[in-house]
Amino acid sequence: MRGAPAAAAPTPGQVDYRLARNSVVKEFKRGRLSRLDVCDAHPELLRAANGLGTPADQPCPICEDETLVHVSYAFGSRLPPGGAAFAGAAELAKLTRRAGDVACYVVEVCPACSWNHLARTYAASAARRRRPSSS
Ligand SMILES: [Zn+2]
């Protein structure tokens, strides 16, 4: 993917939902799904998209007007039932320090038309403790 950090290695346990997403887009283009069916982002999700979303460098497949943003959520036993939205690796590290192993869900959202779909999921766990730093 363009714009991805060069050091990003494929994450073990990552599941890509592009196929499911593309078939929804196809159904929409064929007229089998309406905008009401596919552009149903929850207000909470839109809020997270505006506050914590990272630009996905990809136009919205529905309105083709707006750049998509990715919103990441972490789910874990010590996190809120609706998941904890986070932005960036540092915040994820903070969450895994608190909650241990978490499941991360990346949702693509269009802030303009409210299109949303799961993009991918992956597992994250707290970074292994290193030798105590000499500070
Ligand atoms: Zn859109």
Side-chain angles (χ1 to χ4, degrees):
M1 184 179 80
R2 211 150 43 95
T11 312
Q14 171 157 299
V15 182
D16 196 312
Y17 289 86
R18 212 173 319 161
L19 286 178
R21 176 247 200 219
N22 288 348
S23 81
V24 172
V25 172
K26 210 182 283 173
E27 292 294 281
F28 170 76
K29 303 237 154 149
R30 282 182 183 149
R32 293 199 195 132
L33 291 172
S34 72
R35 273 205 188 205
L36 283 177
D37 294 320
V38 299
C39 299
D40 60 350
H42 192 276
E44 205 61 54
L45 178 58
L46 288 173
R47 216 177 352 249
N50 285 317
L52 298 167
T54 52
D57 196 20
Q58 205 183 359
C60 171
I62 305 303
C63 68
E64 296 175 348
D65 219 35
E66 186 81 13
T67 302
L68 292 171
V69 296
H70 281 160
V71 186
S72 301
Y73 288 93
F75 291 85
S77 50
R78 266 168 271 171
L79 296 176
F86 67 92
E91 283 188 30
L92 176 58
K94 219 181 285 174
L95 287 171
T96 56
R97 264 202 300 276
R98 193 169 88 209
D101 294 349
V102 299
C104 298
Y105 286 66
V106 183
V107 184
E108 66 174 46
V109 185
C110 173
C113 74
S114 300
W115 153 259
N116 64 107
H117 200 279
L118 185 60
R120 63 182 191 276
T121 61
Y122 58 94
S125 47
R128 235 154 265 192
R129 252 173 240 279
R130 293 175 179 221
R131 273 171 285 141
S133 59
S134 52
S135 57

